[in-house]
Amino acid sequence: MKTLLKNGVVYQAGKMLPNDLLIADGVIKALGTDLSELVTSETNVIELNGRLVAPGLVDVHVHYREPGFTHKETIKTGSKAAAHGGYTTVCAMPNLDPVPDTPERVKKQVELNETDGVIKIKQYGAITKGLKSDELLDYAGMKAAGAFAFSNDGCGVQTAGTMYQAMLAAKKLGMPLVAHVEDNSLLFGGVMHAGQKAKELGLPGILGVSESSQIARDLLLAKETGVHYHVCHVSTKESVELIRLAKAHGINVTCEVSPHHLLLDEEDIPANDGFYKMNPPLRTKGDHAALIAGLLDGTIDMIATDHAPHSIDEKTGDMRTSAFGITGSETAFALLYTHLVKEQKLLSLGKLIDLMSKAPAEKFGFDAGQIYAGAQADLAIFELETEYELKEADYLSRGINTPFTGQKVFGQTYLTLVDGRPVYQKEGEK
């Protein structure tokens, strides 16, 4: 079966081109203004009426909660939510029960991802046993079982010796070491950023240095070992500056920033509301400005959602007792397009797409993130001109824990294709 995407605006090689796009056997066969000679009576023609055709988005940081926490999310619901947001490739963190920290568990997780996922799901293996101890693991075995990188996301690696040994092992295997950076000795029971807002609300704060001090340690270890060291969800100006300096000195470091840290700061927290509890927390206006600057000058390499679904019971009420994290797969593109591209004009549309597709694919070596004849037909089609409201009833994730619900935005997903196969289509459409 052939599919013709007709009259789209295709983002290809850095340009927005009014083009048709022909798909067959899961691959992009042709692009051009007139592909009529390639169309037969059996071709499925989809009229796009000027909608944007982008490469499928790539998210290197999601939490799918299965096995162990399926009341929050499953692989099926999480991947459907990602498809709803225009994602075609995601990378699933290993904070599960059981943790994928052996070759056997990684193999089982990879198989489950392939069976239940509607999009392409890459699996992280753990850095240490159970994500908590200093016990190193069978990294070669986990790679052979299907892990593409190692991470303890949700937990910082607390000792330098453990991180050094893990980096050496990852380097030997040519694998990225992906770090949640957090020094537990500097947390002091904090639940939001240790700033003016925490004082106003009477809540314990999380110091920015709990993040940046561990990044400083790890950058020196990365220099020593030569590993590809990737920093999850940077949130402070000191973290950005350290990574900028490390890149200038040739250290093999990349990093990501989350949509919520690009759109909010601590002053946007209206009250002691669990929906605003995230780790790392929303920081100061100065930190927010540094994240934007880092994104613009290339210090920050990509945008990742840190999609973290929880049950409503786990997120309502006092920030002292609610869980850390918010969802992001279904809202990321529309929020960032609306606020950073359309309203504030901080980014071009092409730059935003690159940060959410091409850049993560290139940095992690995935065959994704670009549109060209011969590429896999992993595509996201968005409506840029029609305003709509983010509603809980429309989310496909089991988690509705996002403070952005109710916002009016642009950039709604119209259609998502993986290997040419529809995995999300806007309700009521063909």
Side-chain angles (χ1 to χ4, degrees), residues 181-182 186-187 191-197 205-212 233-239 260-262 264-269 276 278-291:
V181 281
E182 189 173 59
L186 293 169
L187 294 180
V191 298
M192 64 181 294
H193 175 64
Q196 184 59 39
K197 197 71 178 185
I206 300 173
L207 297 169
V209 74
S210 65
E211 173 182 303
S212 55
H233 41 51
V234 293
S235 71
T236 77
K237 55 182 177 295
E238 290 83 6
S239 299
H260 42 282
H261 288 104
L262 291 173
L264 301 172
D265 61 61
E266 62 171 349
E267 295 183 26
D268 294 307
I269 301 173
Y276 287 84
M278 48 201 80
N279 189 14
L282 300 174
R283 303 287 188 183
T284 67
K285 283 193 177 299
D287 293 312
H288 176 257
L291 295 176

Side-chain angles (χ1 to χ4, degrees), residues 102-368:
T102 67
E104 294 76 19
R105 289 177 177 176
V106 169
K107 182 174 185 292
K108 188 174 181 180
Q109 193 67 40
V110 168
E111 290 173 350
L112 193 58
N113 290 341
E114 291 177 352
T115 300
D116 281 14
V118 303
I119 62 171
K120 297 172 180 175
I121 304 174
K122 311 282 187 181
Q123 183 61 49
Y124 285 98
I127 297 173
T128 60
K129 185 176 182 180
L131 307 179
K132 296 176 181 176
S133 72
D134 287 335
E135 185 177 337
L136 299 177
L137 303 170
D138 178 3
Y139 300 112
M142 288 194 288
K143 178 181 181 180
F148 80 100
F150 305 112
S151 179
N152 271 8
D153 188 59
C155 307
V157 175
Q158 296 304 305
T159 64
T162 301
M163 183 58 104
Y164 175 71
Q165 294 291 346
M167 284 183 175
L168 282 178
K171 169 63 177 176
K172 185 177 180 180
L173 294 168
M175 304 270 280
L177 199 297
V178 176
H180 174 110
V181 281
E182 189 173 59
D183 186 324
N184 291 348
S185 69
L186 293 169
L187 294 180
F188 306 116
V191 298
M192 64 181 294
H193 175 64
Q196 184 59 39
K197 197 71 178 185
K199 292 178 182 176
E200 292 174 13
L201 296 175
L203 293 171
I206 300 173
L207 297 169
V209 74
S210 65
E211 173 182 303
S212 55
S213 63
Q214 200 166 87
I215 290 179
R217 178 201 75 179
D218 286 356
L219 288 171
L220 293 173
L221 296 176
K223 180 182 180 183
E224 186 72 16
T225 61
V227 74
H228 172 194
Y229 171 65
H230 178 82
V231 187
C232 295
H233 41 51
V234 293
S235 71
T236 77
K237 55 182 177 295
E238 290 83 6
S239 299
V240 175
E241 186 54 35
L242 284 166
I243 293 166
R244 183 179 289 119
L245 188 64
K247 287 188 171 185
H249 283 76
I251 297 174
N252 186 10
V253 56
T254 57
C255 68
E256 69 192 40
V257 65
S258 74
H260 42 282
H261 288 104
L262 291 173
L263 297 169
L264 301 172
D265 61 61
E266 62 171 349
E267 295 183 26
D268 294 307
I269 301 173
N272 182 0
D273 181 347
F275 270 39
Y276 287 84
K277 183 177 179 181
M278 48 201 80
N279 189 14
L282 300 174
R283 303 287 188 183
T284 67
K285 283 193 177 299
D287 293 312
H288 176 257
L291 295 176
I292 295 291
L295 199 66
L296 295 176
D297 72 13
T299 301
I300 296 173
D301 300 273
M302 64 193 75
I303 298 170
T305 67
D306 191 9
H307 175 78
H310 292 287
S311 70
I312 193 67
D313 289 342
E314 293 166 314
K315 289 299 287 181
T316 50
D318 197 301
M319 288 177 74
R320 291 180 183 85
T321 55
S322 59
F324 284 103
I326 68 170
T327 59
S329 292
E330 297 174 86
T331 58
F333 178 80
L335 285 166
L336 293 168
Y337 170 70
T338 300
H339 295 296
L340 299 190
V341 176
K342 190 175 179 70
E343 293 178 354
Q344 301 177 43
K345 304 189 187 310
L346 291 172
L347 297 175
S348 68
L349 175 57
K351 178 69 172 175
L352 176 63
I353 295 170
D354 285 346
L355 287 165
M356 299 180 77
S357 59
K358 182 181 176 183
E362 284 186 346
K363 297 299 183 184
F364 281 86
F366 302 152
D367 184 15

Side-chain angles (χ1 to χ4, degrees), residues 363-397:
K363 297 299 183 184
F364 281 86
F366 302 152
D367 184 15
Q370 296 189 67
I371 292 176
Y372 56 88
Q376 290 296 311
D378 294 348
L379 301 167
I381 297 156
F382 297 105
E383 295 179 341
L384 300 181
E385 304 301 327
T386 304
E387 189 178 44
Y388 72 106
E389 182 178 343
L390 297 175
K391 297 179 180 177
E392 288 181 357
D394 294 333
Y395 298 149
L396 301 182
S397 169

